[in-house]
């Protein structure tokens, strides 16, 4: 037999590859699996390191905490079946269910979860060696000196397990929204022995008590989660979760992901993108007729406030601090927010004319007092009075990311009428963050998504002790009255009075305009008609344990 | 020869050192890298803890030395810092000289080893480029022969037009068109997925399975330009060979046309094509960057583009160093082969 030459061999192999490739069967249509694409990518499944919504979604299928939210953001039991708050709101005692199990990465071993696991998990977040981006949750709320002693026998020690099923948290000062913070992924319980054994690899070999467990994760490609057979919850319809598993594609190409969704590859699509919103929705925000047989649109207010921040330690060229303060108000008056919602968001969103806190927190919506007016003629008159006109425009630079260019262009056109010549500078997200953090951007586009559903979380953005880099106050806004109200609201136990404090703070911010208020977002979910049990919610969390699919 | 090798090695190391230093200046002296690893609400304590974990709290010179130490395959380390998988020779009670694989640090985004990230991705790129190149050779040679045999008639004009069109289309554009047509519009006929990598997860078993169908569209997209180049080269080469005396002799001997083409013309016409087209492999690797990104093919290009977008500096600088090493090795081999082949250069 004649020897095969290398070139012929390569040729043969390629032909075989392509021939067999064509016969590959696509098994991704399995009906018991929920499939979605995550275009933001997932970098970790370790709850100590999650930072983005994408990571929170995946993590919250594998792990869970003491409490969780229902779809209207009420705090409801999860691993804790009840709790008590005592000692002037400084001591939280949680009573834990006794049928909660950790399932190991292999899926064949289980271990009963106890209160000691919560002590380990919470301590892990606080410990400096962990370098968790979530340590802010506890850093200013617990006594760190006491924590350093490691003496759990001390009744004031921050995290204590009284026995296997009673867990106590001691705060140094009361913090009204603390309970809702405990639903945050940083407060999920992890299996101590696995976290220690895996070390840095725990990010890809997670062990939790959630409704699903990780089966396989091909980094940057796909992730498969399977049902946790030992999950502790059930409903009248049966044991949770209903799905056999979840397949997450990690395709960062938004356009390709959208095409995949349209062709039925995915069961769910979150949010709208300027490039394809008009393909899906009418100008008034309803789903186009051609897609109505395929998908259901679910939308609700989303706790996300979109705005343009002003760096207040600086001023536009030739403007005094006082003029800048007035100018910010005028700019807010000259901005037609309704146009953004109508023309760019297809009706998905609300003009941000009622302060910084978005819609979606029921207790707050009834006490709002802040109000912004649209009055471009007044703004124009002020600009003229301060020497600006068609021949002498004010030159400003707006720093933004590519996703918001459409809004920037609309603002440029609106502001032209009040003699502002706006330059739009587009940066990658990380670079924009650098500019903002270093105070090198006088105007920067930003958004604030609630870490927990409380107006305090939004007001923290303006609290002066949180001036960056100490915290999230990137505008460097300072107001003594605001700070006083903020401190008082933290120790206020009556929710109605506390909401009133927060409304007053929101009103002060709206009056002084350290930001240009743009719009309050909406959570938009397109869901395949085969899927039931998946709702939209104001925190935009993804709860898949109640979801089921039909053929 | 040994002297030439030694001087070349020294020269290459100095270039590599320059690249590494430049990478350090460009990427590692970037301020506030810890900001990329925190969420919106992070406080100073959190940022400080992350800085310490990454060693970013140390002076720049110390960080530079640590960076070189991490990259160097040989170094002196204190004994408690030496992992088990490093080979060590004890120097004193506290220190050892160690031999290790060069390290590029950990990703800011996912804290994985940069070497692992890049090696996983490099395999994907090599497979994609290899298959695309083979595909380009087969189609290009076939088209070239057909065009030459139909010299100056309709088929020749059509193939020339197509090859001119293909050579003018940038790979990112051809990728979008191919993905849209074959992976979306005609999906029901082709069954080819819009995006995907070499391996996917089988939901039933949870195991990784080879998914060759994902390779077809990106390989075609990447092969479009080389097909055009090879077609034109092959056409010219076959035409030149068809005029040769030995072909005239073969025809005079009464050999059938297909035998003349396969046995005589093809063999001789291929040589210049292979030589010229080999150079396209390097440019194909560059084209692969966009193709990988559009088809979500896990390769070096996709990893680097995404790392740039997320300012994952260790991965970006690692990628630059990888590419520099590949270029240094190739250039060194080329230089040495010239010296070997051309006595005048010795």
């Amino acid at each position: 037999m004649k020897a095969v030459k290398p070139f012929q061999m390569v040729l043969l192999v390629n032909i075989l590859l392509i021939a067999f490739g064509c016969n590959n069967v696509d098994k991704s249509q399995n009906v018991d699996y929920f499939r979605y694409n995550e275009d933001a990518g997932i970098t970790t499944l370790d709850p100590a390191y999650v930072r983005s919504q994408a990571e929170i979604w995946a993590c919250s299928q594998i792990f869970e905490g003491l409490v969780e939210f229902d779809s209207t953001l009420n705090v409801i039991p999860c691993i804790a079946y009840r709790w008590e708050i005592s000692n002037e709101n400084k001591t939280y005692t949680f009573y834990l269910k006794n049928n909660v199990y950790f399932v190991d990465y292999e899926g064949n071993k289980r271990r009963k979860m106890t209160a000691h696991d919560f002590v380990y998990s919470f301590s892990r977040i606080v410990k400096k060696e962990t370098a968790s981006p979530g340590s802010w949750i506890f850093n200013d709320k617990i006594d760190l000196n006491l924590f350093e002693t490691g003496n759990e026998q001390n009744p004031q020690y921050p995290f204590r397990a009284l026995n296997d099923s009673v867990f106590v948290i001691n705060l140094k000062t009361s913090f009204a929204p603390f309970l809702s913070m405990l639903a945050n992924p940083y407060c999920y319980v992890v299996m101590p022995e696995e976290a220690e054994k895996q070390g840095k690899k725990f990010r890809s070999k997670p062990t939790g008590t959630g409704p699903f467990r990780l089966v396989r994760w091909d980094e940057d490609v796909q992730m498969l989660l399977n049902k946790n057979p030992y999950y502790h919850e059930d409903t009248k319809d049966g044991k949770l979760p209903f799905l056999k598993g979840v397949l997450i594609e990690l395709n960062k190409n938004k356009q390709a992901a959208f095409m995949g969704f349209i062709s039925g590859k995915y069961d769910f699509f979150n949010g709208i993108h300027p490039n394809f919103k008009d393909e899906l929705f009418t100008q008034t925000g309803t789903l186009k007729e051609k897609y109505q047989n395929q998908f259901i649109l679910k939308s609700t207010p989303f706790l996300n406030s979109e705005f343009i921040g002003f760096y207040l330690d600086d001023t536009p060229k030739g403007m005094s601090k006082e003029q800048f303060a007035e100018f910010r108000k005028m700019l807010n008056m000259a901005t037609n927010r309704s146009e953004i919602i109508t023309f760019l968001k297809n009706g998905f969103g609300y003009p941000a004319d009622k302060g910084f806190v978005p819609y979606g927190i029921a207790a707050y919506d009834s006490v709002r007092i802040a109000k912004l007016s649209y009055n471009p003629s007044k703004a124009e008159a002020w600009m003229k009075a301060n020497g600006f006109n068609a021949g002498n425009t004010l030159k400003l630079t707006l720093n933004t990311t590519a996703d918001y260019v459409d809004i920037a262009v609309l603002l440029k056109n609106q502001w032209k009428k009040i003699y502002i010549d706006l330059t739009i500078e587009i940066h990658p997200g990380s670079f924009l963050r650098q500019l903002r953090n270093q105070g090198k951007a006088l105007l920067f586009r930003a958004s604030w998504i609630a870490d927990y559903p409380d107006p305090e979380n939004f007001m923290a953005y303006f609290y002066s002790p949180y001036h960056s880099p100490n915290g999230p106050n990137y505008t460097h806004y300072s107001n003594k009255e605001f700070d006083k109200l903020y401190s008082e609201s933290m120790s206020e136990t009556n929710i109605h009075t506390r909401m009133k404090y927060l409304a007053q703070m929101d009103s002060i911010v709206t009056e002084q305009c350290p930001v240009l208020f743009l719009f309050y977002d909406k959570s938009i979910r397109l869901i395949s008609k085969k899927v039931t049990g998946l709702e939209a919610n104001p925190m935009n969390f993804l709860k898949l344990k109640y979801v089921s699919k039909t053929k | 020869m040994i002297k030439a090798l030694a001087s070349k090695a020294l020269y290459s190391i100095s270039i590599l050192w320059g690249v590494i230093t430049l990478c350090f200046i460009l990427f590692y002296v970037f301020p506030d890298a810890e900001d990329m690893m925190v969420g919106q609400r992070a406080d100073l304590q959190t940022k400080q803890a992350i800085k310490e974990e990454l060693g970013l709290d140390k002076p720049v010179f110390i960080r530079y030395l640590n960076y070189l130490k991490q990259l160097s395959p040989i170094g002196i380390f204190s004994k408690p810092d030496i992992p088990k998988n490093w080979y060590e020779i004890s120097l004193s009670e506290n220190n050892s000289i160690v031999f290790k694989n060069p390290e590029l640090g950990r990703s800011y985004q996912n804290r994985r080893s940069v070497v692992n990230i890049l090696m996983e991705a490099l395999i994907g790129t090599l497979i994609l480029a290899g298959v695309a190149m083979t595909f380009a050779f087969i189609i290009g040679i076939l088209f070239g022969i057909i065009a030459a045999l139909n010299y100056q008639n309709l088929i020749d004009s059509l193939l020339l037009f197509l090859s001119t069109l293909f050579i003018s289309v940038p790979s990112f554009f051809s990728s979008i068109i191919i993905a849209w047509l074959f992976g979306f519009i005609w999906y029901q006929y082709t069954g080819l997925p819009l995006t995907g990598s070499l391996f996917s997860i089988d939901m039933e078993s949870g195991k990784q399975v080879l998914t060759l169908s994902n390779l077809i569209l990106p390989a075609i997209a990447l092969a479009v330009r080389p097909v055009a180049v090879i077609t034109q080269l092959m056409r010219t080469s076959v035409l030149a060979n068809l005029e040769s005396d030995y072909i005239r002799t073969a025809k005079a001997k009464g050999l059938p046309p297909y035998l003349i083409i396969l046995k005589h013309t093809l063999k001789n016409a291929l040589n210049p094509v292979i030589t010229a087209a080999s150079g396209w492999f390097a440019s194909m690797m560059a084209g692969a960057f966009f193709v990988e990104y559009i088809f979500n093919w896990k390769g070096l290009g996709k990893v680097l583009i995404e790392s740039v977008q997320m300012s994952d500096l260790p991965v970006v600088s690692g990628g630059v160093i990888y590419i520099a090493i590949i270029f240094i090795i190739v250039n060194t081999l080329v230089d040495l082969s010239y010296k070997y082949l051309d006595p005048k250069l010795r």
Side-chain angles (χ1 to χ4, degrees), chain B residues 263-276:
Chain B
K263 282 236 165 188
H264 299 281
T265 319
L266 186 60
K267 207 171 176 184
N268 289 294
L270 263 180
N271 282 343
V273 176
I274 289 173
T275 312

Side-chain angles (χ1 to χ4, degrees), chain B residues 287-329:
Chain B
F289 274 45
F290 301 105
V291 175
E292 284 171 8
Y293 185 69
I294 287 159
F295 287 97
N296 199 38
W297 179 268
K298 190 176 178 178
L300 204 56
K302 178 176 174 278
V303 165
L304 286 182
I305 290 175
E306 287 172 2
S307 304
V308 169
Q309 284 174 342
M310 295 189 294
S311 297
D312 196 349
L313 306 179
V315 180
V316 178
S317 66
V320 172
I321 292 169
Y322 254 56
I323 292 165
I325 290 171
I326 292 170
F327 269 83
I328 288 169
I329 291 171

Side-chain angles (χ1 to χ4, degrees), chain A residues 21 87 97 104 117 197 212 272 291 336 390 421 439 504 509 526:
Chain A
N87 185 24
K97 293 176 185 171
D104 80 334
D117 299 319
K197 183 181 148 194
F212 298 93
I272 55 168
Y291 294 116
N336 188 343
D421 179 9
Q504 273 177 272
V509 169
L526 278 169

